[in-house]
Amino acid sequence: TGFIGSYNVIKGFLNLSLTDAYWLNRLQDISDNAQFGQLPLQTEKVVLEYCGPNTNKPLHIGHVRNMLLGFSMSEILKAAGYPVTKVNIYNDRGIAICQSMVAYRHFANGATPQSSGIKGDHFVGDWYVKFNQVAKEQMAELQNAPEDKDEAKKLTPIFKEAQETLLKWEAGDAETIALWEQMNAWVYEGFQQTFDMIGVDFQKDYYESQTYKMGKEIVDEGLQKGVFYQRKDGAVAVDLTADGLDEKVLLRPDGTSIYITQDLATAELRHEEFNMDKMIYVVANEQDYHFKVLKLALQKLGKEWAKGIYHLSYGLVESPTGRFKSREGKTADADDLIAEVLRIAEERTKELGKIEGFTESQAQELYKTIGMGALKYLILRVNPYKKMIFNPEESIDFQGQTGPFIQYTHARIRAIMRKVGENTALTIPTGISLVDVERELLKQINEFENVVRSSATNYDPSEVANYVYTLAKTYNKFYHDVSVLNAENVKEKELRVALSNQTGLTIKKAMKLLGMDVPERM
């Protein structure tokens, strides 16, 4: 066929050298395939859980990493052929939510997000901060207070009121339930605005308030099977020492559920609903032990499907000055970070004059595309399992390994294609020799499907992020080393235009897998 240029055998390995004719033929195949990058359909069904916020405070930088990883991983798995259902669980009950409610009841004077002009989740979060401020003041007034701050806090009048509120909630007190529903509704409205800005979505929402009791039935099932046991204090536990862990409590001595109780129930519920083969949890590495217990406990119950549970464990996000804090109102708020990134994007884009000829609405859209691309790329280029340092200033640079650099490369390619003419039929020549940078670019385009497959297998979007940066960098070398529109002859021009077009399409597809848009011009 003329596709093998030479070969040799070294230490039992056959090394083949492919001819330029092979690479030109490969470019033709890729160009003819509008679905290039989409792998064949797999039979395994996937349910992927991500986000999982508490309803007593706004989303923070950790949630941003979580959401970007979860959404991108779902897109990559879909490209790898897996049917994926994206789900979210709201931790919408418990003492923390009651603390926000108590503070609101005492100090809000009937204010609402609408009357105060504050976004719903921030509004409720402010009352959580207020609760902790008041508790701190009351702790200082205690006589003979315990040294342990958590123990001292439990003795304060405001904390005792929060505990009473939780008991009322669990008893179904109408007034308590009405306030809880109202405050959670404000939070959900605020969360949705952030979801829309980041560009993430869910096909099914779960609520801890609806699942926490169901887990008790599974615990009872484990007791009946002899897999779980009841301790002397009345708590139900599972012994995982033979599995390299320890004894894990699944139900408190007073019969109340804990996180693991509800997670047992939610996993069972999802299997009943979706009959999934894989259940991926995108949760920070602080919960590594929790998910080992969850998987083992379900397997010991004889749930065959539990072997498909996978914890996509990611590292913490730190600022350049150390770990972000919460509770005191110092958390690295997701909305504030997004606003800061968009501000920097507008500032840098104006400085570099990349909005010439844009209307105001087009310019605003570009700032958002660049800002969100910068934020997403900065986070997704890091292997999920590693801790990362987040600095918004670093993210928006039109040179180096950043989202804007890749976006600018795409815009450069689109400018070339507009000069060629959008409706011009592209021809890939034969019988032409490739220069090194053309061959390298072709090889990298050809690798796209392998990268999608590997990224899906390793649950690692950074493989796609690093691939698309390398592709953009190689294209820029190609752009500077050879002339595209002023090539020496027709065949060279045809090849370089076709190569540019396919590079642009591949960049766009790869960036979409990362949840990013690419501009047509900038």
Side-chain angles (χ1 to χ4, degrees):
T1 60
F3 289 166
I4 307 298
S6 61
Y7 67 91
N8 57 34
V9 178
I10 299 176
K11 294 181 179 178
F13 289 93
L14 174 63
N15 295 323
L16 302 175
S17 175
L18 300 170
T19 63
D20 288 347
Y22 169 84
W23 288 113
L24 290 167
N25 187 73
R26 184 69 188 126
L27 178 58
Q28 184 71 64
D29 288 344
I30 292 170
S31 299
D32 290 343
N33 179 13
Q35 296 300 309
F36 176 66
Q38 177 61 55
L39 303 183
L41 189 65
Q42 303 289 323
T43 56
E44 290 181 312
K45 288 184 285 188
V46 177
V47 170
L48 186 147
E49 177 193 292
Y50 70 110
C51 193
N54 299 317
T55 59
N56 64 304
K57 53 189 174 183
L59 302 165
H60 55 69
I61 181 61
H63 288 116
V64 173
R65 188 177 198 189
N66 182 306
M67 289 188 287
L68 297 182
L69 280 171
F71 183 84
S72 177
M73 203 62 248
S74 71
E75 292 299 300
I76 290 166
L77 286 165
K78 284 191 278 187
Y82 294 94
V84 179
T85 302
K86 292 174 283 186
V87 300
N88 183 16
I89 185 162
Y90 289 107
N91 299 303
D92 65 337
R93 63 172 285 276
I95 192 67
I97 284 84
C98 290
Q99 289 172 357
S100 293
M101 290 164 62
V102 167
Y104 177 82
R105 206 158 48 203
H106 278 290
F107 306 108
N109 295 317
T112 66
Q114 291 74 26
S115 70
S116 60
I118 300 173
K119 187 166 170 277
D121 51 331
H122 290 259
F123 180 80
V124 173
D126 287 346
W127 297 117
Y128 181 64
V129 172
K130 177 68 174 175
F131 176 92
N132 283 286
Q133 289 171 348
V134 174
K136 197 172 182 181
E137 290 165 8
Q138 292 182 354
M139 282 162 62
E141 296 168 4
L142 289 174
Q143 298 293 321
N144 304 315
E147 285 188 24
D148 185 283
K149 287 184 179 179
D150 288 333
E151 290 303 313
K153 185 177 179 181
K154 289 175 184 176
L155 298 177
T156 62
I158 198 166
F159 190 89
K160 288 177 180 176
E161 188 177 341
Q163 286 179 312
E164 288 166 12
T165 301
L166 180 57
L167 290 171
K168 284 182 179 179
W169 182 89
E170 291 187 349
D173 176 70
E175 191 178 329
T176 303
I177 295 292
L179 179 59
W180 171 76
E181 287 176 342
Q182 178 61 81
M183 293 184 75
N184 273 349
W186 289 334
V187 172
Y188 297 140
E189 189 178 344
F191 283 170
Q192 191 58 52
Q193 291 172 34
T194 307
F195 296 156
D196 292 343
M197 175 60 79
I198 292 178
V200 300
D201 62 348
F202 311 94
Q203 286 141 289
K204 178 79 187 268
D205 290 320
Y206 291 85
Y207 300 87
E208 184 187 339
S209 59
Q210 296 172 5
T211 60
Y212 79 106
K213 288 181 179 175
M214 295 167 56
K216 296 178 184 180
E217 295 173 12
I218 295 180
V219 171
D220 285 342
E221 180 189 335
L223 280 171
Q224 288 166 21
K225 289 182 175 178
V227 174
F228 306 154
Y229 63 94
Q230 196 148 25
R231 301 192 318 191
K232 289 179 181 178
D233 63 0
V236 178
V238 59
D239 186 359
L240 299 174
T241 50
D243 302 281
L245 298 179
D246 54 11
E247 176 189 83
K248 171 63 181 174
V249 172
L250 304 176
L251 201 64
R252 292 192 185 100
D254 62 2
T256 56
S257 65
I258 51 181
Y259 274 124
I260 192 74
T261 327
Q262 81 183 32
D263 277 354
L264 289 167
T266 308
E268 178 79 63
L269 188 61
R270 287 173 183 163
H271 183 254
E272 288 172 6
E273 289 181 72
F274 300 110
N275 192 29
M276 72 279 183
D277 301 286
K278 290 180 183 288
M279 175 66 224
I280 301 167
Y281 293 86
V282 182
V283 182
N285 59 14
E286 295 167 305
Q287 298 297 326
D288 284 353
Y289 170 79
H290 175 89
F291 285 101
K292 286 176 184 173
V293 172
L294 177 67
K295 184 172 184 173
L296 281 167
L298 287 166
Q299 286 179 309
K300 287 181 183 299
L301 284 169
K303 315 283 185 187
E304 280 294 312
W305 49 267
K307 68 178 183 293
I309 287 176
Y310 181 81
H311 176 206
L312 202 173
S313 168
Y314 61 89
L316 292 174
V317 184
E318 296 187 354
S319 74
T321 56
R323 185 170 175 179
F324 292 114
K325 298 178 179 139
S326 68
R327 187 181 292 183
E328 302 295 329
K330 298 175 185 172
T331 183
D333 181 83
D335 294 321
D336 290 346
L337 286 170
I338 292 168
E340 177 66 4
V341 166
L342 294 180
R343 183 194 66 75
I344 298 168
E346 180 171 351
E347 190 179 273
R348 299 271 174 87
T349 307
K350 283 178 175 175
E351 281 173 8
L352 294 168
K354 294 189 184 293
I355 53 168
E356 199 173 319
F358 280 59
T359 65
E360 181 57 29
S361 64
Q362 288 172 333
Q364 290 298 327
E365 186 63 29
L366 182 64
Y367 303 146
K368 181 182 176 184
T369 299
I370 292 172
M372 294 311 297
L375 171 67
K376 292 177 181 184
Y377 191 84
L378 183 70
I379 286 176
L380 291 173
R381 76 181 188 188
V382 179
N383 180 293
Y385 311 104
K386 294 180 180 176
K387 180 178 72 177
M388 69 167 291
I389 307 295
F390 181 86
N391 184 351
E393 291 285 346
E394 278 182 17
S395 67
I396 300 174
D397 191 336
F398 290 88
Q399 299 298 322
Q401 191 175 359
T402 66
F405 169 75
I406 299 163
Q407 290 172 321
Y408 183 63
T409 303
H410 179 268
R412 166 175 276 172
I413 292 169
R414 295 307 302 146
I416 290 171
M417 298 315 296
R418 282 193 295 275
K419 288 177 183 175
V420 170
E422 296 292 353
N423 297 319
T424 304
L426 300 182
T427 304
I428 295 165
T430 57
I432 184 175
S433 295
L434 302 173
V435 297
D436 287 346
V437 72
E438 291 168 338
R439 195 177 298 108
E440 181 59 28
L441 193 55
L442 247 169
K443 286 179 181 178
Q444 285 180 14
I445 292 169
N446 186 58
E447 271 300 295
F448 181 45
E449 289 186 341
N450 289 332
V451 171
V452 170
R453 188 178 290 107
S454 175
S455 182
T457 301
N458 297 324
Y459 302 104
D460 183 4
S462 73
E463 294 188 20
V464 173
N466 290 308
Y467 163 81
V468 71
Y469 167 65
T470 303
L471 181 62
K473 191 168 65 168
T474 302
Y475 182 82
N476 280 283
K477 183 178 188 328
F478 161 84
Y479 181 84
H480 287 108
D481 286 2
V482 301
S483 176
V484 178
L485 298 179
N486 296 313
E488 290 183 11
N489 58 63
V490 172
K491 281 195 169 188
E492 282 186 357
K493 180 179 177 179
E494 287 176 343
L495 170 66
R496 291 169 188 172
V497 167
L499 254 179
S500 297
N501 185 60
Q502 193 56 54
T503 302
L505 290 172
T506 307
I507 286 174
K508 187 172 186 174
K509 288 179 178 182
M511 293 290 267
K512 184 176 180 291
L513 296 183
L514 301 172
M516 297 180 220
D517 293 324
V518 284
E520 287 291 302
R521 60 193 184 105
M522 58 192 282

